[in-house]
């Protein structure tokens, strides 16, 4: 039986993370997202056994996009992994007839596991001749060179369901390779020079930036040297979208959603220009972008709440009583981060608590349950553009509009309803950023006061809205939502009729710039 496996550097599927809980307690297995690049091997299953792979990297070798193609094991077995005797009976052992369920062989089995977890081939602890190890030949697709990996057969009593082994490559892989470097854009709305990027340089510089300049298009925005970016002002937006530019807000940070529209990447991270690098309780600077990526690449659990919060994080798992049928989770569409220092309060709360600062660092990520709305803040936000991008419209705000500071709230409510309908997840919690500047509460009150009243009508609307079963794409869901906004919220104020029309225009513009293939 051939084992097929692919090496990937993305976050493992959900159930694989429980591997660490089932290995011998003394085993040392590299964790995901370590300082060096981590490769994850997803392996095949037999009814009674699992097959773990160990790639014995040397300090000057590397393998990428590798597939196992040939079984080159030799010996007296019947050649099928998971069989424990030469006659093909299921003996609970390996293809060489070793029965690893036998007490006399448990020590050898555990030694084999330890050997596989301890280090590369040049480590004296690694014994390639150990009877539990099975050599397999692989081909490096990038070089055409052959490599050898090793498998070990492990009974189900040791590992549950599926096994994943994380292999940390040594010096061969550049340790600073950024995650999703070519798959993520950073979108920043601004009216000022972007000096704040200097603090973010270690984390942001490898990525492409999309800067959306608000306000006077004749004003020059200075961007620190060394960043790869494109900058759009209002003239650019008008030129690109033509009459449809009317759906993009002016003199409001809601203009950021234009960056979502013109991006061609799978993921988006957006941040405000008054947000800086925060520190965790140990004093370590927080790479907010990396944490968003971790959130987005691991599943969500919107259908059943896990009391240990995100079960896919290191050190956590599903608690007793959590249905096994739901443990695979669903794709994560949105990662919603938080803030230290200046909290994201509305104007009345700002006025009542002008000196309040958030100093509580809560080390938690959780999925927002299905059917539960939340106030989404756009200043520290990541999302999967391919999964939910067309719903991330920040509405009509700012110049010429009767409301402001509800742009991200509107996008969050629409997005949550659509995610619930399509079976997607939204996470909130880590990462934190340092929100440095409190906006003027009196100015905020002028922008918010209608929204404060209107939201008492808006929340029940979003809580009760339903989308038809034949709405199976984000675009069709959003257009249906626009129709219901006009029918039901248009009675609250004529503004919502305009907003509903703008929602339709937004989808038309999105589809023009992002034609389906």
């Amino acid at each position: 039986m051939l084992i097929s496996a692919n090496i990937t550097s993305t976050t493992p599927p959900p159930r694989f993370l429980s591997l660490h809980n089932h290995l011998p307690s003394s085993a040392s297995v590299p964790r995901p997202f370590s300082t060096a690049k981590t490769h994850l091997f997803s392996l095949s299953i037999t009814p009674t056994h699992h097959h773990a792979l160990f790639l014995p990297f040397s300090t000057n070798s590397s393998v990428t996009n590798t597939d196992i193609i040939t079984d080159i094991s030799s010996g007296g077995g019947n050649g099928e992994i998971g069989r424990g005797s030469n006659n093909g009976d299921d003996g609970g052992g390996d293809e060489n007839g070793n029965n690893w369920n036998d007490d006399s062989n448990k020590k050898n089995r555990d030694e084999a596991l330890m050997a596989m977890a301890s280090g590369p081939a040049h480590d004296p602890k690694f014994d390639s001749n150990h009877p539990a190890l099975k050599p397999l030949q692989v081909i490096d697709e990038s070089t055409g060179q052959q490599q050898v990996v090793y498998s070990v057969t492990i009974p189900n009593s040791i590992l549950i369901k599926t096994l994943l082994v994380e292999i940390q490559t040594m010096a061969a892989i550049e340790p600073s390779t950024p995650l999703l470097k070519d798959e993520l854009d950073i979108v920043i709305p601004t009216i000022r020079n972007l000096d704040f990027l200097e603090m973010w340089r270690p984390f942001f510089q490898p990525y492409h930036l999309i800067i959306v300049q608000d306000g006077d298009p004749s004003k020059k925005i200075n961007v620190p040297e060394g960043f790869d970016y494109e900058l759009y002002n209002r003239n650019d937006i008008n030129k690109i979208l033509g009459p449809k530019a009317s759906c993009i807000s002016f003199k409001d940070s809601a203009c950021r959603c234009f960056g979502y529209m013109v991006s061609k990447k799978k993921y988006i991270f957006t941040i405000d220009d008054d947000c800086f690098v925060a520190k965790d309780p140990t004093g370590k600077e927080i790479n907010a972008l990396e944490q968003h990526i971790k959130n987005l690449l691991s599943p969500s659990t919107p259908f059943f709440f896990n009391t240990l919060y995100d079960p896919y994080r290191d050190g956590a798992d599903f608690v007793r009583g959590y249905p096994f049928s739901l443990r695979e989770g669903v794709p994560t569409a949105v990662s919603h981060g938080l803030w230290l220092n200046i909290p994201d309060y509305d104007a009345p709360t700002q006025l009542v608590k002008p000196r309040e600062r958030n100093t509580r660092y809560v080390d938690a990520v959780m999925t927002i349950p299905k059917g539960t709305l939340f106030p989404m803040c756009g200043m520290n936000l990541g999302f999967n553009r391919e999964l939910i991008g067309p719903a991330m419209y920040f509405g009509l705000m700012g110049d010429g509009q009767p409301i402001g500071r509800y742009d991200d709230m509107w996008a969050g409510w629409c997005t949550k309803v659509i995610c619930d309908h399509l079976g997607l997840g939204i996470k909130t919690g880590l990462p934190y950023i340092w929100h440095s500047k409190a906006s003027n509460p009196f100015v905020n009150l002028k922008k918010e006061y209608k929204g404060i009243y209107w939201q008492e009508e808006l929340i029940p609307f979003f809580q009760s809205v339903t989308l038809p079963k034949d709405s199976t794409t984000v675009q069709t869901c959003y257009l249906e939502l626009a129709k219901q906004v006009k029918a039901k919220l248009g009675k609250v104020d004529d503004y919502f009729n305009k907003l509903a029309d703008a929602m339709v225009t937004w989808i038309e513009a999105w589809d023009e710039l992002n034609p389906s293939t």
Side-chain angles (χ1 to χ4, degrees), residues 211-412:
I211 300 164
V212 184
Q213 179 181 345
D214 195 19
D216 184 0
S218 65
K219 180 180 178 181
K220 179 176 172 55
I221 299 292
N222 293 318
V223 181
E225 292 185 3
F227 286 93
D228 172 35
Y229 70 93
E230 52 191 298
L231 188 150
Y232 298 93
N233 59 32
R234 192 69 201 187
N235 293 337
D236 300 316
I237 295 172
N238 291 337
K239 182 178 180 180
I240 292 169
L241 296 184
K244 292 183 176 64
S246 61
C247 71
I248 305 298
S249 298
F250 184 56
K251 294 186 177 179
D252 193 279
S253 64
C255 66
R256 78 177 77 219
C257 62
F258 176 77
Y260 311 159
M261 183 186 288
V262 296
S263 171
K264 302 303 177 187
K265 304 292 178 62
K266 182 175 181 178
Y267 299 97
I268 295 289
F269 170 58
T270 184
I271 187 171
D272 284 2
D273 59 14
D274 62 348
C275 295
F276 296 90
V277 178
K279 294 183 179 180
D280 68 17
T282 69
K284 180 182 177 181
E285 290 190 338
I286 298 167
N287 184 347
L289 178 54
E290 181 182 65
Q291 180 63 51
H292 277 298
I293 292 172
K294 291 181 183 181
N295 293 346
L296 291 168
L297 292 182
S298 60
S300 293
T301 54
F303 305 122
F304 202 92
F305 188 76
N306 190 55
T307 51
L308 273 183
Y309 308 121
D310 191 341
Y312 310 116
R313 290 191 68 205
D314 189 24
D317 211 321
F318 293 96
V319 298
R320 181 172 55 89
Y322 200 101
F324 281 84
S325 60
L326 296 177
R327 294 191 180 194
E328 288 193 16
V330 302
T332 299
V334 180
S335 171
H336 178 255
L338 300 175
W339 348 265
L340 293 174
N341 195 35
I342 305 295
D344 187 29
Y345 285 161
D346 52 41
T349 308
Q350 280 184 293
L351 289 167
V352 173
K353 299 180 175 182
R355 296 184 180 180
E356 182 158 294
R357 299 294 181 265
N358 181 32
T359 59
R360 293 196 316 135
Y361 179 95
V362 181
D363 186 12
V365 179
M366 66 186 71
T367 298
I368 300 172
K370 181 180 180 180
T372 300
L373 297 175
F374 76 110
M376 189 177 81
C377 173
M379 74 171 79
N380 175 24
L381 183 72
F383 63 92
N384 185 321
R385 184 177 174 275
E386 290 185 359
L387 284 181
I388 201 64
M392 279 289 179
Y393 175 48
F394 276 45
L396 289 177
M397 304 284 155
D399 192 51
Q401 307 302 333
I403 187 176
R405 283 173 57 84
Y406 273 85
D407 51 334
D408 43 9
M409 300 295 133
W410 182 262

Side-chain angles (χ1 to χ4, degrees), residues 1-3 44 46-53 71 73 78-84 93-96 134 136 151-154:
M1 165 179 164
L2 296 181
I3 304 176
S44 59
T46 65
T48 58
H49 292 79
H50 301 287
H51 319 298
L53 294 183
D71 182 343
S73 65
N78 67 356
E80 234 181 277
I81 294 180
R83 298 292 181 180
D94 63 16
E95 69 284 357
N96 294 318
K134 173 188 178 74
L136 297 168
S151 75
V152 64
T153 305
I154 307 166

